[in-house]
Amino acid sequence: MNIPYNLKKVRDVKLTETDLIEFEEEVKQKYEDAEIKAPVHLTKGNEKELIEIFQYVHPEDWVFCGHRNHCQALLHGVPRETLMDLVVRGRSMSVHSKEPKLYSSSIVGGTISIALGSALALKRSGSKRRAWCFIGDMAFETGIFYEAHKYATNFDLPLTFVVEDNNMSTNTPTDETWNYKKRDIPYGVIYYQYERGFPHHGTGNWVLF
Amino acid sequence: MKYKDEIIRSMEWLSEKDDTIFLGQSVLYSGNAIYNTLSTLPPEKMLEVPVFEEVQMGMSTGMALEGLVPISCFPRFDFLLRCMDALVNHLDKFQYMTEGVWNPKVIIRTSIGAKFPLDGGIQHTQDYTNIMKDILTEIDVVLLNEPEEIYPAFQKAYEQNGSSLIIEWGDYYNEK
């Protein structure tokens, strides 16, 4: 995984891979017990990469996520109980927080331009903080990503995109739809590949609600 | 005062606020009717952006999250349709999605394209006001029919919580 040279470690991440796995396992159990009446999108397989990335995310930075957001929220400092409460109340797809600053959206690519705007405002205010935008491989291919990335790069905005590539957009292989042999990774983008350990949504087990 | 003069007066009032910023295409360079309502404002309050409407709307939302009040200008209603995801799925759903934790304030300006003396044609003159009133649940939608409605509408948009979509009639710039 490439970390751009201009980024410095600013956080001592206390959470371990086991902590993240245990949180998602607890959500899995609650979902299978029909306690959660809304879709959940669980993380498994990229805990190590997320822990490494969050060493570069300042607690006062903005974090923007998609539907698979539990681990990013935990690593950014959303308390475990607060997050579990959101998830149990059916808010897994729109996990949010004021402090730390976090917004997630379940529309592919929907956070990209919002993250861009927050980065622009941060720069104009003279803040040292930055915005982080976690996106999947299909969002990475959208036109809005290239517009926003171009604008952020040309204006040197404090915005870092993190592309989490499991090559799946729901259950559609991204590389097949774009006929990719190899992807070019634009300047400044953190990119890693992983194999997802859970289905797109749910747990892989039949649940009777 | 006349319709266009009331809009200029409103923009001048908004520009005096420390937290406002005006963005869009032709906010700093001439090219459309909206420019003619902004040309007296300080250039440092202007952000000329590329033609990327969806990015512009999302960018306005993100700036508002950081405490700015963007006056995001879309020269024609027809062009606003290019940012429906950022408008309908995001800006308009922010309070619901974040349980009121975040409530970005964006003032969106657009205009129903003029038909006189030149008719801009079907892609430049449509009025989607009623559709917006139906589809937007959190954003206040205001159609400016009379000159005396204009200044209070922009005042309210700035002073209230949440975002507003304020729609002008291009034809009234000369008629009223």
Side-chain angles (χ1 to χ4, degrees), chain A residues 79-119:
Chain A
R80 193 183 199 283
E81 305 71 34
T82 304
L83 181 61
M84 188 61 79
D85 175 60
L86 279 170
V87 173
V88 170
R89 288 193 290 109
R91 295 284 183 162
S92 173
M93 293 170 73
S94 57
V95 166
H96 56 271
S97 169
K98 186 91 171 179
E99 290 181 8
K101 294 175 179 174
L102 184 138
Y103 171 74
S104 55
S105 162
S106 293
I107 301 285
V108 171
T111 58
I112 290 171
S113 56
I114 302 173
L116 179 74
S118 71

Side-chain angles (χ1 to χ4, degrees), chain B residues 60-121:
Chain B
S60 302
T61 305
M63 293 166 84
L65 291 178
E66 269 300 302
L68 293 173
V69 181
I71 293 91
S72 200
C73 303
F74 297 85
R76 292 175 190 270
F77 220 150
D78 318 79
F79 306 165
L80 189 71
L81 300 189
R82 308 229 349 133
C83 59
M84 290 298 272
D85 174 56
L87 177 66
V88 180
N89 288 328
H90 291 90
L91 181 60
D92 185 57
K93 304 296 181 291
F94 238 94
Q95 290 184 69
Y96 178 82
M97 287 181 63
T98 67
E99 301 177 304
V101 166
W102 294 102
N103 188 11
K105 184 188 298 185
V106 180
I107 300 173
I108 304 157
R109 272 186 74 187
T110 196
S111 178
I112 301 161
K115 292 187 176 178
F116 301 99
L118 297 176
D119 186 339

Side-chain angles (χ1 to χ4, degrees), chain A residues 12 29 87 109 155 166:
Chain A
D12 182 20
Q29 190 59 55
V87 173
F155 285 97
N166 58 25

Side-chain angles (χ1 to χ4, degrees), chain A residues 8-43:
Chain A
K8 306 293 179 213
K9 290 185 179 178
V10 291
R11 172 186 253 161
D12 182 20
V13 176
K14 305 286 189 199
L15 291 173
T16 65
E17 290 179 51
T18 305
D19 293 327
L20 302 177
I21 290 166
E22 285 180 354
F23 182 87
E24 293 294 61
E25 286 295 327
E26 189 177 334
V27 174
K28 174 178 182 285
Q29 190 59 55
K30 288 179 185 296
Y31 185 79
E32 292 182 350
D33 290 344
E35 284 184 47
I36 303 169
K37 301 290 194 294
V40 292
H41 303 77
L42 301 173
T43 294

